Amino acid sequence: MLDSVKIQRRQSEIRQSLSELAGKADPSADELRSMESLDTEYRSNETRYRAALIAEDTERREAGAELETRSDRQFAELVAGFELRQVALHLDEGRNLDGRTAEVVQELRSAGGYRGVPIPLMALEQRAGETVAAGVPDPIQTRPIIDRLFPGSVAAQMGAQMIQIGSGAVEWPVTTSAVTAGWAATETGNVAGPTEYTTTDKALKPEHNLGIHMRITRKALKQSGDALEQAIRRDMSGTMAAELDKAIFLGTGTGGQPLGVIPGAATYGITSTPAGVAASWAALRAAVVRFMTANAASGPSAVRALVRPELWGFLDGVEAFAGSGVTEWSRITSQLGSVVQTTNALAAPASDATSVLLTTNAGGVAPIFVGLWGAVDLIRDPFSDAQSGGLRLTALTTADVTVARGSQLQLVTGLGLTAGGE
């Protein structure tokens, strides 16, 4: 029972006793002393009651904050013990799921429909340093589900925000109006007239499905559980990371692919500037200046660059100033916030010319949004490898890409990789 409730009950008893004593016309000396002690106790209890209320209010706030985050934390703990090995054996042999794996699968099925066995996205994370107690893995480190799914991916390094979506589409209203300010020319003159405030919606829609096809041989199934577990994790997470990176930046928008940032530059309103000169810091500096004049970046340190390794190979051998030892690559890395190299998210150089994508987070808004719907749906093909005793799995996930504000990205094309220019 709460202390405040106990004190309230005691106060009621004191008031009842005092009312009985106060009704007597000629109280005895003992009754007078009893009235004084009860009155003293009543005043003391009032102070204790206020203190109890303050303490209990703090406890309630702490308990409420814990309850608000308890469900997410408990689910993360369940996912930490999720075993892909159980899913593979369930699809191959019909083995029943148990422990945390069964609980996670039941929870995901209650939230959405899946033809196969649903797998939480965090289960694809590569784990290291696991210890096994009573047959249940207990990872040392547990990460959030979305923003740490592929911590080494190019999209994450370029500031893309990955968003978990349960169902339906998600839209962001972006201001498109140009509200103007003006001074009144005379004492009775009007200021600038009203400008209509307009927005446009940037949507993520579940229209693009990514599939990962896996073939697991009978030998792999008979290997130790940890070996199979880690192999499946590495294959699925590596394949998904590479394919998502490629789609985010180079998706054609056809053949089931989402429209990537670079092919969709015109659609997303991204400024694309053909350099037509040899690659250098000066060729990229103009794009950084455009960021700053558009109030999208406070300085070059707020800008990220996505480049090909061929650009590094060329610029690292070009001195910015003769005899100084300072290369053009050194100038770029010292000025920009970060430079990310990729062979997957940018097309290979054509005619000794390459492109560079620049991004910035303006006002805390990510330059690229990547929507992921639900969990990974793992489906078994029981027929293709039946004769060899193998197992074929297909992992399906739904994703989409959009850019909220095109002014947060700049594309510079035609950067020559030879001393003569493009």
PDB file of all heavy atoms in Angstrom, residues 281-316:
ATOM      1  N   TRP A 281      39.710  19.862 -56.857  1.00  0.00           N
ATOM      2  CA  TRP A 281      38.918  20.466 -55.794  1.00  0.00           C
ATOM      3  C   TRP A 281      38.147  21.665 -56.327  1.00  0.00           C
ATOM      4  O   TRP A 281      36.997  21.904 -55.949  1.00  0.00           O
ATOM      5  CB  TRP A 281      39.817  20.874 -54.635  1.00  0.00           C
ATOM      6  CG  TRP A 281      39.194  21.863 -53.692  1.00  0.00           C
ATOM      7  CD1 TRP A 281      39.657  23.101 -53.380  1.00  0.00           C
ATOM      8  CD2 TRP A 281      37.986  21.696 -52.948  1.00  0.00           C
ATOM      9  NE1 TRP A 281      38.822  23.727 -52.492  1.00  0.00           N
ATOM     10  CE2 TRP A 281      37.776  22.883 -52.201  1.00  0.00           C
ATOM     11  CE3 TRP A 281      37.042  20.683 -52.834  1.00  0.00           C
ATOM     12  CZ2 TRP A 281      36.691  23.076 -51.363  1.00  0.00           C
ATOM     13  CZ3 TRP A 281      35.946  20.858 -52.000  1.00  0.00           C
ATOM     14  CH2 TRP A 281      35.780  22.036 -51.279  1.00  0.00           C
ATOM     15  N   ALA A 282      38.743  22.403 -57.238  1.00  0.00           N
ATOM     16  CA  ALA A 282      38.064  23.580 -57.798  1.00  0.00           C
ATOM     17  C   ALA A 282      36.788  23.174 -58.531  1.00  0.00           C
ATOM     18  O   ALA A 282      35.796  23.900 -58.510  1.00  0.00           O
ATOM     19  CB  ALA A 282      39.013  24.319 -58.744  1.00  0.00           C
ATOM     20  N   ALA A 283      36.785  22.000 -59.170  1.00  0.00           N
ATOM     21  CA  ALA A 283      35.605  21.559 -59.908  1.00  0.00           C
ATOM     22  C   ALA A 283      34.454  21.213 -58.962  1.00  0.00           C
ATOM     23  O   ALA A 283      33.282  21.352 -59.326  1.00  0.00           O
ATOM     24  CB  ALA A 283      35.955  20.350 -60.774  1.00  0.00           C
ATOM     25  N   LEU A 284      34.775  20.779 -57.751  1.00  0.00           N
ATOM     26  CA  LEU A 284      33.736  20.457 -56.769  1.00  0.00           C
ATOM     27  C   LEU A 284      33.367  21.658 -55.914  1.00  0.00           C
ATOM     28  O   LEU A 284      32.278  21.711 -55.336  1.00  0.00           O
ATOM     29  CB  LEU A 284      34.203  19.313 -55.861  1.00  0.00           C
ATOM     30  CG  LEU A 284      34.516  17.973 -56.537  1.00  0.00           C
ATOM     31  CD1 LEU A 284      34.962  16.960 -55.503  1.00  0.00           C
ATOM     32  CD2 LEU A 284      33.299  17.462 -57.293  1.00  0.00           C
ATOM     33  N   ARG A 285      34.279  22.607 -55.813  1.00  0.00           N
ATOM     34  CA  ARG A 285      34.059  23.762 -54.930  1.00  0.00           C
ATOM     35  C   ARG A 285      32.828  24.560 -55.353  1.00  0.00           C
ATOM     36  O   ARG A 285      32.085  25.071 -54.518  1.00  0.00           O
ATOM     37  CB  ARG A 285      35.301  24.643 -54.938  1.00  0.00           C
ATOM     38  CG  ARG A 285      35.247  25.810 -53.956  1.00  0.00           C
ATOM     39  CD  ARG A 285      36.627  26.448 -53.876  1.00  0.00           C
ATOM     40  NE  ARG A 285      37.104  26.782 -55.221  1.00  0.00           N
ATOM     41  CZ  ARG A 285      38.400  26.920 -55.519  1.00  0.00           C
ATOM     42  NH1 ARG A 285      39.322  26.740 -54.582  1.00  0.00           N
ATOM     43  NH2 ARG A 285      38.770  27.244 -56.750  1.00  0.00           N
ATOM     44  N   ALA A 286      32.584  24.651 -56.661  1.00  0.00           N
ATOM     45  CA  ALA A 286      31.428  25.409 -57.131  1.00  0.00           C
ATOM     46  C   ALA A 286      30.129  24.802 -56.617  1.00  0.00           C
ATOM     47  O   ALA A 286      29.179  25.518 -56.261  1.00  0.00           O
ATOM     48  CB  ALA A 286      31.430  25.464 -58.659  1.00  0.00           C
ATOM     49  N   ALA A 287      30.054  23.445 -56.561  1.00  0.00           N
ATOM     50  CA  ALA A 287      28.857  22.787 -56.043  1.00  0.00           C
ATOM     51  C   ALA A 287      28.684  23.052 -54.556  1.00  0.00           C
ATOM     52  O   ALA A 287      27.566  23.246 -54.067  1.00  0.00           O
ATOM     53  CB  ALA A 287      28.924  21.286 -56.317  1.00  0.00           C
ATOM     54  N   VAL A 288      29.792  23.082 -53.812  1.00  0.00           N
ATOM     55  CA  VAL A 288      29.721  23.399 -52.383  1.00  0.00           C
ATOM     56  C   VAL A 288      29.226  24.825 -52.181  1.00  0.00           C
ATOM     57  O   VAL A 288      28.423  25.108 -51.285  1.00  0.00           O
ATOM     58  CB  VAL A 288      31.100  23.193 -51.726  1.00  0.00           C
ATOM     59  CG1 VAL A 288      31.053  23.593 -50.256  1.00  0.00           C
ATOM     60  CG2 VAL A 288      31.552  21.740 -51.874  1.00  0.00           C
ATOM     61  N   VAL A 289      29.687  25.737 -53.018  1.00  0.00           N
ATOM     62  CA  VAL A 289      29.221  27.122 -52.937  1.00  0.00           C
ATOM     63  C   VAL A 289      27.718  27.197 -53.192  1.00  0.00           C
ATOM     64  O   VAL A 289      26.992  27.962 -52.529  1.00  0.00           O
ATOM     65  CB  VAL A 289      29.992  28.009 -53.931  1.00  0.00           C
ATOM     66  CG1 VAL A 289      29.381  29.406 -54.000  1.00  0.00           C
ATOM     67  CG2 VAL A 289      31.457  28.101 -53.533  1.00  0.00           C
ATOM     68  N   ARG A 290      27.214  26.400 -54.131  1.00  0.00           N
ATOM     69  CA  ARG A 290      25.771  26.395 -54.403  1.00  0.00           C
ATOM     70  C   ARG A 290      24.999  25.907 -53.191  1.00  0.00           C
ATOM     71  O   ARG A 290      23.908  26.408 -52.893  1.00  0.00           O
ATOM     72  CB  ARG A 290      25.478  25.527 -55.627  1.00  0.00           C
ATOM     73  CG  ARG A 290      25.865  26.174 -56.955  1.00  0.00           C
ATOM     74  CD  ARG A 290      25.255  25.431 -58.135  1.00  0.00           C
ATOM     75  NE  ARG A 290      25.816  24.092 -58.296  1.00  0.00           N
ATOM     76  CZ  ARG A 290      26.893  23.828 -59.002  1.00  0.00           C
ATOM     77  NH1 ARG A 290      27.557  24.804 -59.618  1.00  0.00           N
ATOM     78  NH2 ARG A 290      27.329  22.583 -59.120  1.00  0.00           N
ATOM     79  N   PHE A 291      25.524  24.933 -52.487  1.00  0.00           N
ATOM     80  CA  PHE A 291      24.893  24.497 -51.243  1.00  0.00           C
ATOM     81  C   PHE A 291      24.779  25.656 -50.261  1.00  0.00           C
ATOM     82  O   PHE A 291      23.733  25.886 -49.645  1.00  0.00           O
ATOM     83  CB  PHE A 291      25.726  23.387 -50.585  1.00  0.00           C
ATOM     84  CG  PHE A 291      25.381  22.002 -51.042  1.00  0.00           C
ATOM     85  CD1 PHE A 291      26.368  21.092 -51.343  1.00  0.00           C
ATOM     86  CD2 PHE A 291      24.059  21.597 -51.172  1.00  0.00           C
ATOM     87  CE1 PHE A 291      26.065  19.808 -51.764  1.00  0.00           C
ATOM     88  CE2 PHE A 291      23.745  20.306 -51.586  1.00  0.00           C
ATOM     89  CZ  PHE A 291      24.740  19.423 -51.880  1.00  0.00           C
ATOM     90  N   MET A 292      25.865  26.390 -50.107  1.00  0.00           N
ATOM     91  CA  MET A 292      25.908  27.461 -49.112  1.00  0.00           C
ATOM     92  C   MET A 292      25.010  28.633 -49.496  1.00  0.00           C
ATOM     93  O   MET A 292      24.328  29.209 -48.649  1.00  0.00           O
ATOM     94  CB  MET A 292      27.359  27.917 -48.916  1.00  0.00           C
ATOM     95  CG  MET A 292      28.273  26.808 -48.377  1.00  0.00           C
ATOM     96  SD  MET A 292      30.038  27.204 -48.447  1.00  0.00           S
ATOM     97  CE  MET A 292      30.116  28.568 -47.296  1.00  0.00           C
ATOM     98  N   THR A 293      24.997  29.000 -50.778  1.00  0.00           N
ATOM     99  CA  THR A 293      24.141  30.110 -51.204  1.00  0.00           C
ATOM    100  C   THR A 293      22.665  29.747 -51.140  1.00  0.00           C
ATOM    101  O   THR A 293      21.808  30.623 -51.019  1.00  0.00           O
ATOM    102  CB  THR A 293      24.498  30.545 -52.635  1.00  0.00           C
ATOM    103  OG1 THR A 293      24.422  29.408 -53.509  1.00  0.00           O
ATOM    104  CG2 THR A 293      25.897  31.126 -52.683  1.00  0.00           C
ATOM    105  N   ALA A 294      22.343  28.458 -51.201  1.00  0.00           N
ATOM    106  CA  ALA A 294      20.946  28.017 -51.082  1.00  0.00           C
ATOM    107  C   ALA A 294      20.567  27.735 -49.636  1.00  0.00           C
ATOM    108  O   ALA A 294      19.476  27.214 -49.372  1.00  0.00           O
ATOM    109  CB  ALA A 294      20.734  26.760 -51.920  1.00  0.00           C
ATOM    110  N   ASN A 295      21.454  28.068 -48.676  1.00  0.00           N
ATOM    111  CA  ASN A 295      21.226  27.849 -47.248  1.00  0.00           C
ATOM    112  C   ASN A 295      21.059  26.370 -46.914  1.00  0.00           C
ATOM    113  O   ASN A 295      20.444  26.027 -45.896  1.00  0.00           O
ATOM    114  CB  ASN A 295      19.994  28.622 -46.753  1.00  0.00           C
ATOM    115  CG  ASN A 295      20.165  30.115 -46.870  1.00  0.00           C
ATOM    116  OD1 ASN A 295      21.252  30.643 -46.640  1.00  0.00           O
ATOM    117  ND2 ASN A 295      19.101  30.804 -47.241  1.00  0.00           N
ATOM    118  N   ALA A 296      21.576  25.491 -47.741  1.00  0.00           N
ATOM    119  CA  ALA A 296      21.484  24.059 -47.474  1.00  0.00           C
ATOM    120  C   ALA A 296      22.655  23.559 -46.640  1.00  0.00           C
ATOM    121  O   ALA A 296      22.554  22.507 -46.010  1.00  0.00           O
ATOM    122  CB  ALA A 296      21.429  23.283 -48.785  1.00  0.00           C
ATOM    123  N   ALA A 297      23.764  24.283 -46.632  1.00  0.00           N
ATOM    124  CA  ALA A 297      24.935  23.889 -45.856  1.00  0.00           C
ATOM    125  C   ALA A 297      25.571  25.136 -45.263  1.00  0.00           C
ATOM    126  O   ALA A 297      25.625  26.186 -45.910  1.00  0.00           O
ATOM    127  CB  ALA A 297      25.941  23.130 -46.719  1.00  0.00           C
ATOM    128  N   SER A 298      26.060  25.005 -44.037  1.00  0.00           N
ATOM    129  CA  SER A 298      26.708  26.135 -43.374  1.00  0.00           C
ATOM    130  C   SER A 298      28.166  26.288 -43.789  1.00  0.00           C
ATOM    131  O   SER A 298      28.774  27.330 -43.556  1.00  0.00           O
ATOM    132  CB  SER A 298      26.625  25.963 -41.859  1.00  0.00           C
ATOM    133  OG  SER A 298      27.227  24.738 -41.469  1.00  0.00           O
ATOM    134  N   GLY A 299      28.731  25.254 -44.385  1.00  0.00           N
ATOM    135  CA  GLY A 299      30.128  25.305 -44.820  1.00  0.00           C
ATOM    136  C   GLY A 299      30.505  23.997 -45.480  1.00  0.00           C
ATOM    137  O   GLY A 299      29.736  23.028 -45.484  1.00  0.00           O
ATOM    138  N   PRO A 300      31.707  23.905 -46.034  1.00  0.00           N
ATOM    139  CA  PRO A 300      32.131  22.669 -46.705  1.00  0.00           C
ATOM    140  C   PRO A 300      32.179  21.464 -45.777  1.00  0.00           C
ATOM    141  O   PRO A 300      32.016  20.336 -46.225  1.00  0.00           O
ATOM    142  CB  PRO A 300      33.516  23.016 -47.262  1.00  0.00           C
ATOM    143  CG  PRO A 300      33.956  24.233 -46.525  1.00  0.00           C
ATOM    144  CD  PRO A 300      32.721  24.965 -46.123  1.00  0.00           C
ATOM    145  N   SER A 301      32.376  21.690 -44.478  1.00  0.00           N
ATOM    146  CA  SER A 301      32.449  20.562 -43.542  1.00  0.00           C
ATOM    147  C   SER A 301      31.103  19.873 -43.364  1.00  0.00           C
ATOM    148  O   SER A 301      31.040  18.756 -42.831  1.00  0.00           O
ATOM    149  CB  SER A 301      32.960  21.035 -42.180  1.00  0.00           C
ATOM    150  OG  SER A 301      32.085  22.008 -41.632  1.00  0.00           O
ATOM    151  N   ALA A 302      30.018  20.507 -43.817  1.00  0.00           N
ATOM    152  CA  ALA A 302      28.685  19.908 -43.707  1.00  0.00           C
ATOM    153  C   ALA A 302      28.309  19.106 -44.944  1.00  0.00           C
ATOM    154  O   ALA A 302      27.182  18.624 -45.054  1.00  0.00           O
ATOM    155  CB  ALA A 302      27.639  20.994 -43.464  1.00  0.00           C
ATOM    156  N   VAL A 303      29.243  18.948 -45.876  1.00  0.00           N
ATOM    157  CA  VAL A 303      28.970  18.284 -47.157  1.00  0.00           C
ATOM    158  C   VAL A 303      29.681  16.931 -47.205  1.00  0.00           C
ATOM    159  O   VAL A 303      30.838  16.816 -46.802  1.00  0.00           O
ATOM    160  CB  VAL A 303      29.422  19.167 -48.344  1.00  0.00           C
ATOM    161  CG1 VAL A 303      29.182  18.456 -49.673  1.00  0.00           C
ATOM    162  CG2 VAL A 303      28.687  20.506 -48.311  1.00  0.00           C
ATOM    163  N   ARG A 304      28.968  15.921 -47.703  1.00  0.00           N
ATOM    164  CA  ARG A 304      29.542  14.596 -47.937  1.00  0.00           C
ATOM    165  C   ARG A 304      29.684  14.376 -49.435  1.00  0.00           C
ATOM    166  O   ARG A 304      28.866  14.874 -50.207  1.00  0.00           O
ATOM    167  CB  ARG A 304      28.654  13.497 -47.356  1.00  0.00           C
ATOM    168  CG  ARG A 304      28.453  13.540 -45.845  1.00  0.00           C
ATOM    169  CD  ARG A 304      27.590  12.354 -45.432  1.00  0.00           C
ATOM    170  NE  ARG A 304      27.387  12.284 -43.993  1.00  0.00           N
ATOM    171  CZ  ARG A 304      26.343  12.798 -43.342  1.00  0.00           C
ATOM    172  NH1 ARG A 304      25.402  13.430 -44.034  1.00  0.00           N
ATOM    173  NH2 ARG A 304      26.230  12.673 -42.038  1.00  0.00           N
ATOM    174  N   ALA A 305      30.687  13.613 -49.812  1.00  0.00           N
ATOM    175  CA  ALA A 305      30.914  13.334 -51.230  1.00  0.00           C
ATOM    176  C   ALA A 305      30.991  11.832 -51.460  1.00  0.00           C
ATOM    177  O   ALA A 305      31.612  11.105 -50.673  1.00  0.00           O
ATOM    178  CB  ALA A 305      32.199  13.997 -51.718  1.00  0.00           C
ATOM    179  N   LEU A 306      30.344  11.371 -52.535  1.00  0.00           N
ATOM    180  CA  LEU A 306      30.399   9.977 -52.941  1.00  0.00           C
ATOM    181  C   LEU A 306      31.200   9.897 -54.235  1.00  0.00           C
ATOM    182  O   LEU A 306      30.832  10.515 -55.241  1.00  0.00           O
ATOM    183  CB  LEU A 306      28.981   9.432 -53.156  1.00  0.00           C
ATOM    184  CG  LEU A 306      28.858   7.957 -53.543  1.00  0.00           C
ATOM    185  CD1 LEU A 306      29.351   7.074 -52.398  1.00  0.00           C
ATOM    186  CD2 LEU A 306      27.411   7.608 -53.881  1.00  0.00           C
ATOM    187  N   VAL A 307      32.317   9.154 -54.212  1.00  0.00           N
ATOM    188  CA  VAL A 307      33.236   9.144 -55.356  1.00  0.00           C
ATOM    189  C   VAL A 307      33.616   7.711 -55.711  1.00  0.00           C
ATOM    190  O   VAL A 307      33.440   6.779 -54.906  1.00  0.00           O
ATOM    191  CB  VAL A 307      34.514   9.954 -55.045  1.00  0.00           C
ATOM    192  CG1 VAL A 307      34.177  11.376 -54.611  1.00  0.00           C
ATOM    193  CG2 VAL A 307      35.350   9.264 -53.962  1.00  0.00           C
ATOM    194  N   ARG A 308      34.149   7.547 -56.906  1.00  0.00           N
ATOM    195  CA  ARG A 308      34.695   6.274 -57.357  1.00  0.00           C
ATOM    196  C   ARG A 308      36.171   6.166 -56.960  1.00  0.00           C
ATOM    197  O   ARG A 308      36.871   7.181 -56.836  1.00  0.00           O
ATOM    198  CB  ARG A 308      34.588   6.173 -58.890  1.00  0.00           C
ATOM    199  CG  ARG A 308      33.188   6.040 -59.427  1.00  0.00           C
ATOM    200  CD  ARG A 308      32.686   4.626 -59.413  1.00  0.00           C
ATOM    201  NE  ARG A 308      33.583   3.677 -60.068  1.00  0.00           N
ATOM    202  CZ  ARG A 308      33.256   2.395 -60.285  1.00  0.00           C
ATOM    203  NH1 ARG A 308      32.054   1.947 -59.932  1.00  0.00           N
ATOM    204  NH2 ARG A 308      34.101   1.578 -60.866  1.00  0.00           N
ATOM    205  N   PRO A 309      36.699   4.944 -56.760  1.00  0.00           N
ATOM    206  CA  PRO A 309      38.127   4.800 -56.455  1.00  0.00           C
ATOM    207  C   PRO A 309      39.027   5.334 -57.564  1.00  0.00           C
ATOM    208  O   PRO A 309      40.156   5.772 -57.290  1.00  0.00           O
ATOM    209  CB  PRO A 309      38.301   3.279 -56.290  1.00  0.00           C
ATOM    210  CG  PRO A 309      36.945   2.766 -55.962  1.00  0.00           C
ATOM    211  CD  PRO A 309      35.985   3.658 -56.678  1.00  0.00           C
ATOM    212  N   GLU A 310      38.541   5.310 -58.816  1.00  0.00           N
ATOM    213  CA  GLU A 310      39.351   5.836 -59.914  1.00  0.00           C
ATOM    214  C   GLU A 310      39.623   7.334 -59.721  1.00  0.00           C
ATOM    215  O   GLU A 310      40.688   7.830 -60.115  1.00  0.00           O
ATOM    216  CB  GLU A 310      38.638   5.617 -61.254  1.00  0.00           C
ATOM    217  CG  GLU A 310      38.525   4.163 -61.674  1.00  0.00           C
ATOM    218  CD  GLU A 310      37.303   3.474 -61.117  1.00  0.00           C
ATOM    219  OE1 GLU A 310      36.635   4.055 -60.230  1.00  0.00           O
ATOM    220  OE2 GLU A 310      36.996   2.357 -61.556  1.00  0.00           O
ATOM    221  N   LEU A 311      38.673   8.043 -59.118  1.00  0.00           N
ATOM    222  CA  LEU A 311      38.889   9.470 -58.866  1.00  0.00           C
ATOM    223  C   LEU A 311      39.989   9.667 -57.831  1.00  0.00           C
ATOM    224  O   LEU A 311      40.845  10.550 -57.983  1.00  0.00           O
ATOM    225  CB  LEU A 311      37.590  10.118 -58.397  1.00  0.00           C
ATOM    226  CG  LEU A 311      37.649  11.630 -58.158  1.00  0.00           C
ATOM    227  CD1 LEU A 311      37.903  12.367 -59.455  1.00  0.00           C
ATOM    228  CD2 LEU A 311      36.372  12.133 -57.511  1.00  0.00           C
ATOM    229  N   TRP A 312      39.959   8.839 -56.783  1.00  0.00           N
ATOM    230  CA  TRP A 312      41.037   8.916 -55.800  1.00  0.00           C
ATOM    231  C   TRP A 312      42.383   8.610 -56.461  1.00  0.00           C
ATOM    232  O   TRP A 312      43.372   9.298 -56.200  1.00  0.00           O
ATOM    233  CB  TRP A 312      40.787   7.924 -54.670  1.00  0.00           C
ATOM    234  CG  TRP A 312      42.000   7.694 -53.823  1.00  0.00           C
ATOM    235  CD1 TRP A 312      42.502   8.505 -52.843  1.00  0.00           C
ATOM    236  CD2 TRP A 312      42.901   6.596 -53.907  1.00  0.00           C
ATOM    237  NE1 TRP A 312      43.654   7.982 -52.324  1.00  0.00           N
ATOM    238  CE2 TRP A 312      43.920   6.799 -52.958  1.00  0.00           C
ATOM    239  CE3 TRP A 312      42.945   5.451 -54.701  1.00  0.00           C
ATOM    240  CZ2 TRP A 312      44.967   5.907 -52.775  1.00  0.00           C
ATOM    241  CZ3 TRP A 312      43.990   4.551 -54.523  1.00  0.00           C
ATOM    242  CH2 TRP A 312      44.979   4.784 -53.565  1.00  0.00           C
ATOM    243  N   GLY A 313      42.423   7.554 -57.303  1.00  0.00           N
ATOM    244  CA  GLY A 313      43.687   7.199 -57.949  1.00  0.00           C
ATOM    245  C   GLY A 313      44.248   8.328 -58.789  1.00  0.00           C
ATOM    246  O   GLY A 313      45.474   8.518 -58.855  1.00  0.00           O
ATOM    247  N   PHE A 314      43.368   9.109 -59.417  1.00  0.00           N
ATOM    248  CA  PHE A 314      43.851  10.212 -60.250  1.00  0.00           C
ATOM    249  C   PHE A 314      44.254  11.415 -59.394  1.00  0.00           C
ATOM    250  O   PHE A 314      45.356  11.961 -59.548  1.00  0.00           O
ATOM    251  CB  PHE A 314      42.757  10.617 -61.239  1.00  0.00           C
ATOM    252  CG  PHE A 314      43.055  11.884 -62.000  1.00  0.00           C
ATOM    253  CD1 PHE A 314      44.095  11.951 -62.917  1.00  0.00           C
ATOM    254  CD2 PHE A 314      42.301  13.032 -61.782  1.00  0.00           C
ATOM    255  CE1 PHE A 314      44.374  13.122 -63.603  1.00  0.00           C
ATOM    256  CE2 PHE A 314      42.560  14.204 -62.461  1.00  0.00           C
ATOM    257  CZ  PHE A 314      43.611  14.252 -63.376  1.00  0.00           C
ATOM    258  N   LEU A 315      43.388  11.823 -58.472  1.00  0.00           N
ATOM    259  CA  LEU A 315      43.646  13.047 -57.709  1.00  0.00           C
ATOM    260  C   LEU A 315      44.803  12.894 -56.726  1.00  0.00           C
ATOM    261  O   LEU A 315      45.474  13.877 -56.396  1.00  0.00           O
ATOM    262  CB  LEU A 315      42.384  13.458 -56.948  1.00  0.00           C
ATOM    263  CG  LEU A 315      41.196  13.911 -57.798  1.00  0.00           C
ATOM    264  CD1 LEU A 315      40.012  14.284 -56.917  1.00  0.00           C
ATOM    265  CD2 LEU A 315      41.593  15.096 -58.679  1.00  0.00           C
ATOM    266  N   ASP A 316      45.026  11.669 -56.238  1.00  0.00           N
ATOM    267  CA  ASP A 316      46.122  11.481 -55.288  1.00  0.00           C
ATOM    268  C   ASP A 316      47.484  11.623 -55.960  1.00  0.00           C
ATOM    269  O   ASP A 316      48.501  11.752 -55.283  1.00  0.00           O
ATOM    270  CB  ASP A 316      46.010  10.100 -54.633  1.00  0.00           C
ATOM    271  CG  ASP A 316      46.871   9.997 -53.392  1.00  0.00           C
ATOM    272  OD1 ASP A 316      46.780  10.888 -52.533  1.00  0.00           O
ATOM    273  OD2 ASP A 316      47.650   9.023 -53.290  1.00  0.00           O
TER     274      ASP A 316
END
